[in-house]
Amino acid sequence: MGTYTINSWSYYSIGTVIATGDTVWIKQAQSGSNPGYSPSSYAEVGPGDNSLTPNEILDPDYSAQNATYLGTYTFNGNVFVVLQDEFGQLLGSVDMNVPYADFPGQFDPDTIDATVTVFCFLAGTLIDTPSAAALVENLNIGDEIISAEGRAVQVKWIGRQTVTTLFAGPHMQPVRIRAGALGAGLPHSDLTVTADHGMVIDGLVINASALVNGTTIDWVPLAALPDRVTYYHIETENHDVILANGAPAETFVDYADRRAFDNHQEYVDLYGAERIIPEMDRPRISSRRLLPDAIKARLRIDDAGEQMFDQLSA
């Protein structure tokens, strides 16, 4: 499909954009000069609420137009947002702290992430190894970690994804599993994973979002996270069960596209091409409606949060 050229990179606040295909309202506002940038304008992007962010000075000659949110694009480790205005031109938005040199002039449209990306373990997660638990961000290719069955398995790759929470909608909230929430004292400390990451309970691979009970297992508001957070996914030779903060959790399986990770090129340089990892022979549950009653009862999962689950998991 070739490459597409962005007509304009600008500074947009898109915290109110929640889904691909949303129509958003762009209002030009004068921002003045920023260190490292030439004087430029930036824009508030929202669902026509006519609001401006703090410290914005409205340009008397501002322009306004409709645009469609297409998705995000990662370049040099930075997350950019791709919009299409009412005239069909492509626009890009970016965090104010990203150097101009890191603005991509062109992009491959196939690399736009227009879906909820499976990011997995939040930095700070402890992964069991043969010697001691290690922070996921400190693991390296070739390190050994321990499977839930007690086997030593080798790390083949660590996928890394940095998310700018300002550019994320509510559907990208991660899930926090409080210490002991899964029973038997597990996890041994609070564990934060993304919604689609599989936890292994009673022989089932269950997406974390399906386990939300509103108390001991709950969504983490984006406002409670730093402006940028980094998630890690561990790839081993097979689709394995490893221990994250002591709780059984899945390793990478390739229905989650490796291209979404910041360091995808590292994988290609190492292995030359993508490889297929067959999913482990365990049933996967992605909806709380399919949870066995015994698990619902044990984890105190009821239907009180069903509407929110449906909205965030759609």
Side-chain angles (χ1 to χ4, degrees):
M1 295 181 63
T3 57
Y4 281 40
T5 299
I6 287 289
N7 298 90
S8 172
W9 286 108
S10 197
Y11 304 102
Y12 302 152
S13 168
I14 64 159
T16 50
V17 176
I18 61 171
T20 301
D22 274 1
T23 298
V24 296
W25 191 253
I26 300 176
K27 296 197 299 185
Q28 302 288 24
Q30 189 63 37
S31 67
S33 298
N34 295 290
Y37 306 93
S38 58
S40 60
S41 64
Y42 67 106
E44 171 97 359
V45 179
D49 58 7
N50 298 318
S51 64
L52 292 173
T53 55
N55 303 318
E56 279 188 294
I57 301 172
L58 185 63
D59 184 336
D61 297 321
Y62 77 91
S63 62
Q65 60 191 18
N66 288 322
T68 300
Y69 170 63
L70 300 183
T72 60
Y73 174 68
T74 301
F75 180 82
N76 284 355
N78 295 310
V79 178
F80 300 84
V81 172
V82 180
L83 307 169
Q84 186 171 44
D85 70 15
E86 59 187 328
F87 307 109
Q89 296 186 8
L90 296 177
L91 308 173
S93 65
V94 63
D95 188 306
M96 292 282 283
N97 295 319
V98 175
Y100 185 80
D102 283 346
F103 283 25
Q106 294 183 319
F107 70 98
D108 179 348
D110 288 338
T111 61
I112 290 182
D113 173 25
T115 62
V116 177
T117 303
V118 181
F119 299 116
C120 304
F121 300 116
L122 185 66
T125 300
L126 291 167
I127 304 297
D128 279 15
T129 78
S131 56
L135 292 171
V136 65
E137 61 265 34
N138 291 341
L139 290 173
N140 296 297
I141 295 170
D143 287 351
E144 287 190 335
I145 57 178
I146 296 297
S147 73
E149 297 83 14
R151 295 181 295 107
V153 294
Q154 194 173 78
V155 174
K156 189 174 181 71
W157 186 59
I158 303 285
R160 183 182 68 254
Q161 180 82 23
T162 301
V163 176
T164 303
T165 54
L166 177 66
F167 293 167
H171 62 288
M172 292 184 70
Q173 293 178 104
V175 173
R176 178 179 291 123
I177 304 171
R178 295 290 185 183
L182 300 180
L186 299 177
H188 57 60
S189 51
D190 290 0
L191 172 66
T192 301
V193 297
T194 43
D196 288 343
H197 192 74
M199 304 301 298
V200 180
I201 302 173
D202 293 355
L204 304 172
V205 182
I206 305 175
N207 287 9
S209 57
L211 298 172
V212 169
N213 61 17
T215 54
T216 58
I217 306 173
D218 206 357
W219 304 100
V220 181
L222 293 173
L225 298 172
D227 290 344
R228 292 189 179 211
V229 293
T230 302
Y231 294 95
Y232 297 84
H233 214 333
I234 300 171
E235 180 171 338
T236 56
E237 184 64 30
N238 302 301
H239 186 210
D240 289 309
V241 183
I242 58 174
L243 300 175
N245 290 13
E250 68 176 337
T251 58
F252 180 82
V253 62
D254 58 354
Y255 65 74
D257 197 338
R258 293 182 186 89
R259 292 182 303 172
F261 294 104
D262 299 345
N263 57 332
H264 171 249
Q265 187 59 47
E266 175 191 56
Y267 188 92
V268 175
D269 292 343
L270 283 168
Y271 301 113
E274 301 281 343
R275 72 184 184 103
I276 295 173
I277 304 175
E279 188 162 8
M280 70 179 76
D281 188 20
R282 296 174 187 260
R284 178 178 291 272
I285 293 179
S286 58
S287 168
R288 66 193 303 170
R289 294 186 182 91
L290 301 177
L291 284 174
D293 289 341
I295 292 180
K296 282 187 176 182
R298 189 164 78 245
L299 302 186
R300 299 179 181 178
I301 298 170
D302 56 31
D303 294 331
E306 193 71 53
Q307 183 176 3
M308 185 177 182
F309 170 85
D310 288 341
Q311 290 173 346
L312 297 179
S313 302

